[in-house]
Amino acid sequence: MPPIAIISALHEELAAVLERLPDERREHVAGRDFWRGHWHGHDVVAVLSRVGKVAAATTAAVLAERFGVAAMLFTGVAGGLGPGVRVGDVVIASDFVQHDMDASPLFPRHEVPLYGRARFGAGAALSAALADAARRTLAQPARTLGEDAVAEFGLQQPRVHTGLIASGDRFVATSGESAALRQALPDALAVEMEGAAVAQVCHDWGLPFAALRTISDRADDSAHVDFPRFLTRVASRYSTAVLDDFFNNYQNNS
Ligand code: ADE
């Protein structure tokens, strides 16, 4: 059975994933460590993409070509853009756009030249299964995070949203920039730095792709004060708990 890829952009998240793969074996390709193992009986390959669209695209291309993966999952953090998308919520991507793609006047703003489109869709069935797993996990955040973290980060009733994710090669940390993004892409729920690149690679290879992003900040001047702590205490724990539920329930029909 071809493996399912699990991609993380940051070390803390990959470390949490690897703790769940008791039998992982390392393969080094293109300067990256790819970890092959099993999760609830499913063949998986986990990898650190590193940050940004090019690093993510390289990683995804290796997963497609060298590892022959059946599908790709991305877990990570993002800045919230949509109204009501709060720190501690989770966004499951329905589609992706590169917010910094602009070849105008040759092509409309955001359109990826010669693809005839600005948006790349997530795999519907894969994303629905990931969203179900996220809803089950976030229904009882204290079970995953502990009461202390729920209180510390004020995560009483975290929500799961599904919608557009905007990706670009910059960390958005000013109110001016997030306002401009909201104006340019009013339906974008969250901003991060890799998803649209992986979505484009998956489009090229005809592979389903789903992404889960825990909201770590509001992409403005009030960006979360203790990002590393949020990453280890909240986002990484959500990711592994959601993936654990996902693989426990996932039927690979491909
Ligand atoms: N990932 C987490 N927060 C982000 C932000 N504000 N901008 C870009 N990527 C992010």
Side-chain angles (χ1 to χ4, degrees):
M1 198 60 98
I4 297 177
I6 304 167
I7 312 171
S8 308
L10 297 169
H11 283 289
E12 291 84 344
E13 299 206 290
L14 182 73
V17 165
L18 292 181
E19 277 174 22
R20 301 298 180 100
L21 308 183
D23 61 341
E24 84 270 16
R25 283 175 292 115
R26 184 171 69 103
E27 283 183 48
H28 195 74
V29 184
R32 289 150 171 78
D33 288 330
F34 293 80
W35 301 91
R36 297 199 65 156
H38 293 88
W39 202 333
H40 289 305
H42 297 279
D43 281 336
V44 300
V45 51
V47 60
L48 184 78
S49 65
R50 301 190 290 226
V51 176
K53 290 184 295 172
V54 175
T58 302
T59 308
V62 172
L63 285 165
E65 195 61 24
R66 180 80 164 245
F67 291 88
V69 298
M72 300 194 202
L73 300 172
F74 201 109
T75 70
V77 289
L81 287 179
V85 179
R86 298 179 308 178
V87 170
D89 287 358
V90 158
V91 173
I92 304 291
S94 59
D95 49 351
F96 302 85
V97 63
Q98 295 182 44
H99 67 74
D100 53 357
M101 174 60 77
D102 189 356
S104 59
L106 301 182
F107 297 90
R109 185 171 177 199
H110 298 137
E111 183 169 313
V112 182
L114 309 182
Y115 280 75
R117 59 165 72 206
R119 296 183 180 202
F120 291 83
L126 199 65
S127 301
L130 196 60
D132 286 345
R135 273 189 285 271
R136 285 190 290 266
T137 304
L138 267 66
Q140 291 174 296
R143 262 176 68 169
T144 303
L145 308 178
E147 297 288 356
D148 291 359
V150 167
E152 177 181 346
F153 294 96
L155 309 174
Q156 303 310 336
Q157 289 176 315
R159 294 170 57 194
V160 178
H161 311 263
T162 300
L164 178 68
I165 288 186
S167 311
D169 285 321
R170 47 190 302 122
F171 192 91
V172 179
T174 66
S175 303
E177 205 182 338
S178 55
L181 274 177
R182 264 183 227 106
Q183 193 172 28
L185 295 163
D187 57 335
L189 296 185
V191 60
E192 38 82 311
M193 302 178 69
E194 297 84 19
V198 177
Q200 186 174 330
V201 172
C202 284
H203 169 86
D204 288 344
W205 264 269
L207 292 172
F209 174 47
L212 172 154
R213 293 284 186 167
T214 301
I215 301 302
S216 56
D217 59 275
R218 279 290 301 172
D220 59 13
D221 313 287
S222 72
H224 210 277
V225 274
D226 198 342
F227 190 78
R229 189 167 168 82
F230 183 86
L231 210 55
T232 48
R233 297 293 305 271
V234 180
S236 301
R237 292 183 185 188
Y238 272 170
S239 293
T240 38
V242 172
L243 288 176
D244 196 60
D245 182 297
F246 172 88
F247 285 116
N248 202 21
N249 291 288
Y250 187 63
Q251 306 287 329
N252 195 344
N253 299 318
S254 61

